[in-house]
Amino acid sequence: DARVTQTPRHKVTEMGQEVTMRCQPILGHNTVFWYRQTMMQGLELLAYFRNRAPLDDSGMPKDRFSAEMPDATLATLKIQPSEPRDSAVYFCASGLVMWTVFNQPQHFGDGTRLSIL
Amino acid sequence: KQEVTQIPAALSVPEGENLVLNCSFTDSAIYNLQWFRQDPGKGLTSLLLIQSSQREQTSGRLNASLDKSSGRSTLYIAASQPGDSATYLCAVIRSGGSNYKLTFGKGTLLTVNP
């Protein structure tokens, strides 16, 4: 059963450190989404890519966050420098989009639980 | 700004009961609406997607309805089972040209007791 794989599953680090989260989308999927989930804000869309090109990253704080897809099998989300308010669960999802984004099911990974001390 | 509200925040029912989860949204100019379930410590699982032109979608024991004019969607679960216990989230997608705005509700935590 094909799955989206996220690494690491848990990350604890100190404020100011660089954090890199990785996502392996389902083979053949052409669209990757990054989400953040907190108790206070709920689930928020940070950015999404189609065919490795960023389509929208307006949900992402630009000064410290960056998202890339070095190749079709790897998406990364980086935070530099990290702050305590970045503590959250970060989810990656992938999908096969034929025409318009958000018109097909997304397949989620199990997330990276990030704690910034 | 789109606001999405899910009521109730938590629901506990005995096994076998039919139940309804509610999702309301403030801006009726939506592209589509999606229902997901989330199990503890896991990512979301897509359940149903309703296009703005549709009134309902069905998958097995699940039925989702959409009333754009009143800003409401309901998820109906028939003959509930303990395996249905999870948090159910609705997401409203709004289209603005080539950009999309996705807004999630905070979810309803469902517990089905054997």
Side-chain angles (χ1 to χ4, degrees):
Chain A
D1 198 18
R3 300 182 63 183
V4 174
T5 303
Q6 291 188 247
T7 56
R9 290 295 317 278
H10 303 272
K11 176 75 174 179
V12 180
T13 192
E14 293 187 345
M15 182 175 64
Q17 296 297 307
E18 178 177 301
V19 173
T20 299
M21 291 169 274
R22 294 177 174 80
C23 168
Q24 181 176 357
I26 292 173
L27 189 65
H29 282 187
N30 61 358
T31 306
V32 172
F33 308 82
W34 283 105
Y35 295 89
R36 175 172 64 183
Q37 187 174 38
T38 62
M39 289 294 292
M40 290 296 295
Q41 299 296 328
L43 203 61
E44 303 171 285
L45 176 65
L46 297 176
Y48 55 96
F49 292 72
R50 184 173 179 180
N51 295 325
R52 297 175 55 198
L55 288 187
D56 189 351
D57 61 1
S58 59
M60 205 165 64
K62 297 294 191 303
D63 55 341
R64 298 181 300 107
F65 284 59
S66 63
E68 295 179 343
M69 280 201 74
D71 61 61
T73 65
L74 176 65
T76 62
L77 180 65
K78 290 186 181 180
I79 309 174
Q80 169 62 25
S82 57
E83 297 181 2
R85 59 180 168 151
D86 301 328
S87 297
V89 181
Y90 291 82
F91 289 104
C92 171
S94 72
L96 179 59
V97 175
M98 302 304 292
W99 298 107
T100 52
V101 183
F102 299 111
N103 219 22
Q104 291 82 27
Q106 298 177 44
H107 301 261
F108 280 72
D110 287 336
T112 293
R113 184 173 295 275
L114 177 65
S115 296
I116 308 296
L117 306 177
Chain B
K1 178 186 174 186
Q2 178 75 276
E3 293 183 5
V4 180
T5 304
Q6 291 189 246
I7 294 174
L11 181 64
S12 181
V13 300
E15 181 177 4
E17 191 162 300
N18 302 325
L19 57 99
V20 174
L21 307 181
N22 297 292
C23 172
S24 62
F25 47 94
T26 54
D27 186 348
S28 61
I30 68 171
Y31 179 67
N32 66 38
L33 184 145
Q34 301 184 27
W35 283 93
F36 298 86
R37 70 173 277 168
Q38 185 174 26
D39 294 285
K42 300 291 186 180
L44 277 65
T45 299
S46 180
L47 297 175
L48 290 165
L49 185 155
I50 311 178
Q51 302 290 353
S52 63
S53 59
Q54 295 176 322
R55 297 284 292 186
E56 64 179 308
Q57 280 285 346
T58 299
S59 176
R61 294 182 294 108
L62 305 180
N63 176 277
S65 68
L66 175 63
D67 184 344
K68 280 199 314 177
S69 60
S70 65
R72 292 180 186 176
S73 176
T74 62
L75 179 65
Y76 175 83
I77 303 177
S80 58
Q81 303 170 357
D84 295 330
S85 298
T87 297
Y88 289 80
L89 299 107
C90 69
V92 176
I93 293 87
R94 191 175 191 280
S95 172
S98 59
N99 293 324
Y100 296 87
K101 179 67 175 174
L102 180 67
T103 306
F104 281 90
K106 292 288 182 66
T108 293
L109 176 60
L110 174 65
T111 303
V112 181
N113 301 300

